[in-house]
Amino acid sequence: MVAAPRVPTPAAIRCPGCGGNIELRGFSHTRSAVCVQCSTIIDPSTPELTILQRFDDRMRVQPIIPLGTRGKWQGTLYEVIGFQVRTINSDGVDYSWHEYLLFNPYRGFRYLTQYDGHWSDVIPVHGLPAFTTMSGRKAASYNGTVYAHFQNARAETTFVMGEFPWAVRVGETNVVDDYTAPPYLLSSEVTEDEVNWSFSTYVPADTIWHAFGLKGAPPPARGIYVNQPSPYAGKAGKAWSTFIKLLLVWGVLLAWFVFSASNREVFRHAYHFAQTSPGEHSFVTDVFQIDGRGNLEVELRTDLNNNWAYFNLALLREDGSQGFDFGREVSYYSGRDSDGAWSEGKARDSVTLPRVAAGRYYLRIEPEMDPQASAQAASGMSMNYEVVLRRDVPSSWLFWLALPFLILPPVVTSIRAAAFETQRWAESDYGTNSGSGSSGGDDDE
Amino acid sequence: MSRAANCPACGAPVQFAWSSAVQTACPYCKAILVRHDVDLEKVGEVADLPPDASPIQILSEGVFDNKRFTVIGRIRYEWEQGAWNEWHILFADQTSGWLSDAQADYAVSFLAQPPAERFPAGEELPRGRVFQLQGAQFMVTHLTRVHYVGFEGELPFTTTDRSEFLSADLRTQDARFATIDYSEEPPLLFLGRFVDFDSLKMSNLREFEGW
């Protein structure tokens, strides 16, 4: 058998409407060819060039990718041979998207769709998606992925250009259901006697501009599109897992910090104080040795009740080279009223001096009490108290200060991810905007 | 059965690539020849097929499920929204199947044993009806009134009764499909799956000007 000769480029046809030339690119696949001059749709597969429709072209739209443009797309050379505008109407507002029909004589047809600067690559689905539910909403399952139902709409073909392998007509409507699992979209189109499924993948406009050698920059995408991948997708989860890891490190460091601190007592002494006794109330303790390095905690334990005391304290080096002056107020009040028992303050107080060099030290202590307190307090103007000094106590406040900084990134990422999804779903049948329709892409900056 | 015979109309030698071929066309006088045992009978004359844009042709070769095949025949059909080709493909083990090409959307199928329970008549087959076939759920998605346009090469049956018949398309979730072909009684069942063109690794294809 002799091999058939190379398939010739289809000859242009003469429009039966206006006599203009109609170039053909789809070989004998073409069932509809549009005359741009007189907006007539012709079936070039019929010898008499049957007119399928003359349509109102007031809605004329210029395709961004000119018909006849070729480009290597998904590894295959494709030519743009058809262009159609499809429109859905939601509460009186029209939303239109553009469909570019791509053709390769060996690999057939596929589409590019464009809405508000968002592009998708579309191929037919040969399998039969199954209907299911997801979080109580309609969903479709296909190839192991569940797609959440986004919207149901009646789509009308509002403008056509170029050629198509089926009989296309302006004004024809189909019921379209979109199911999303970004960056993928599963769509069903119901015609009179069958359901057609298609599978879209969100593609950055740049890749299309590059593949088809288009001039200039693609129009910026506005709003968030149904299958636009979230820049936060997976990031919230990652941020949380990072947080968990950091938290573990944090915990280990904290434990090490606490357990490695020597926390030993270097001084302890009990005293009695009475405000009424005459003379200078300040006194100095015996000299004691502070070894090693780190901080020093000064703790005051009193038996104050419904009373307060003030301590002027100074930790002084025996050789006079260094001194720490500080004051602490200790107060404790308690009682019972109509609401029950209450208390305020504490009878003990402690303060940590951050860095105290090793050496020999003594304390100067000057307690002070309220002369008026004697009237109310049973203890009058006296108290017993104890001073305890501990060397190298664990201080974890820095750790607790760091904790909010650790948790901030995952929380912020989660909030942003949720906000992105909220904006995406606002345009769906389940969103806040679905009833108004007025807050579509046009309002977005 | 012999693979060589002479055309009963013009006497030209007719070679068969497939020993079980039932119908072919005389390459010289375009007689439609049907084989009865050893005899060839002329049942009509081949009409020229209208031009079509399939990249496949007789003697194109390819691979399906790791088995090489050669295209030995084709039937062209039409339905209300277009036309498609069923390419008759012959494997090395002498089994044959069909490579369908509907606007460069490809599928491979084979004649299968219908289930014991008879299929309902085509007119009574509702869309959405599910059949359990070879362990999978096949759902009826479309009923097509099919018109025969023409043939070339070798076929496993005659096209005499195929001028118009009803065909039901069924699909599974995982892109397998079935066709219930009502051109015969009982109806024929074909089972297959959609294939990616590149996976067929086809050679000896037609060339397209400008491509």
Side-chain angles (χ1 to χ4, degrees), chain A residues 86-97 115 150-156 426-442:
Chain A
R86 303 182 70 200
T87 304
I88 61 171
N89 187 290
S90 176
D91 296 304
V93 182
D94 282 344
Y95 301 93
S96 293
W97 71 93
Y115 176 81
F150 193 81
Q151 72 170 359
N152 168 279
R154 181 166 282 276
E156 182 184 352
E427 303 299 326
S428 77
D429 288 355
Y430 310 96
T432 48
N433 290 356
S434 61
S436 71
S438 60
S439 44
D442 294 343

Side-chain angles (χ1 to χ4, degrees), chain A residues 110-247:
Chain A
R110 72 196 298 146
Y111 299 87
L112 294 175
T113 61
Q114 188 270 130
Y115 176 81
D116 257 358
H118 298 279
W119 293 79
S120 286
D121 176 44
V122 187
I123 54 172
V125 168
H126 292 122
L128 213 51
F131 294 105
T132 176
T133 56
M134 188 182 190
S135 317
R137 284 183 192 168
K138 224 162 56 148
S141 135
Y142 183 61
N143 273 353
T145 302
V146 177
Y147 298 76
H149 185 253
F150 193 81
Q151 72 170 359
N152 168 279
R154 181 166 282 276
E156 182 184 352
T157 305
T158 45
F159 181 69
V160 291
M161 237 176 118
E163 55 199 281
F164 300 87
W166 70 89
V168 69
R169 281 176 185 85
V170 170
E172 212 162 57
T173 63
N174 288 328
V175 173
V176 180
D177 277 287
D178 288 331
Y179 300 83
T180 182
Y184 307 116
L185 186 73
L186 202 56
S187 304
S188 75
E189 286 200 23
V190 182
T191 60
E192 267 173 36
D193 56 343
E194 64 185 327
V195 182
N196 286 310
W197 288 90
S198 62
F199 178 80
S200 307
T201 307
Y202 192 91
V203 287
D206 291 349
T207 61
I208 292 169
W209 255 244
H210 181 74
F212 291 91
L214 302 178
K215 300 268 185 297
R222 293 190 302 170
I224 288 165
Y225 196 51
V226 46
N227 61 331
Q228 182 177 356
S230 168
Y232 309 105
K235 279 192 182 154
K238 258 185 216 157
W240 282 109
S241 82
T242 305
F243 168 72
I244 297 296
K245 282 177 202 149
L246 286 174
L247 196 64

Side-chain angles (χ1 to χ4, degrees), chain A residues 302-310 329-337 340-348 368-381:
Chain A
T302 75
D303 63 352
L304 289 168
N305 193 12
N306 287 320
N307 208 344
W308 66 263
Y310 188 82
E329 188 186 294
V330 185
S331 69
Y332 180 70
Y333 294 88
S334 67
R336 180 169 282 278
D337 62 14
W342 59 269
S343 74
E344 195 180 310
K346 267 184 182 165
R348 58 165 61 190
E368 205 179 302
M369 291 181 81
D370 184 3
Q372 305 299 320
S374 60
Q376 301 100 31
S379 57
M381 288 161 66

Side-chain angles (χ1 to χ4, degrees), chain A residues 6-7 31 70 106-107 126, chain B residues 106 198 206-207 209-210:
Chain A
R6 140 192 312 231
V7 185
R31 296 296 299 265
R70 284 188 180 189
Y106 300 93
R107 286 160 188 85
H126 292 122
Chain B
Y106 306 94
D198 291 322
R206 290 168 91 192
E207 286 179 12
E209 196 183 328

Side-chain angles (χ1 to χ4, degrees), chain A residues 253-273:
Chain A
L253 278 177
L254 178 62
W256 178 79
F257 199 79
V258 167
F259 290 116
S260 70
S262 54
N263 195 19
R264 58 185 191 279
E265 193 174 294
V266 293
F267 176 86
R268 178 192 285 262
H269 206 283
Y271 303 96
H272 177 79
F273 171 73

Side-chain angles (χ1 to χ4, degrees), chain B residues 64-92:
Chain B
F64 178 75
D65 275 353
N66 294 316
K67 291 195 294 181
R68 297 206 59 83
F69 65 80
T70 305
V71 176
I72 59 166
R74 128 162 109 147
I75 306 182
R76 186 162 176 82
Y77 291 121
E78 239 176 28
W79 63 301
E80 56 181 285
Q81 287 182 40
W84 82 96
N85 295 305
E86 293 286 350
W87 295 97
H88 187 208
I89 56 176
L90 177 65
F91 292 89

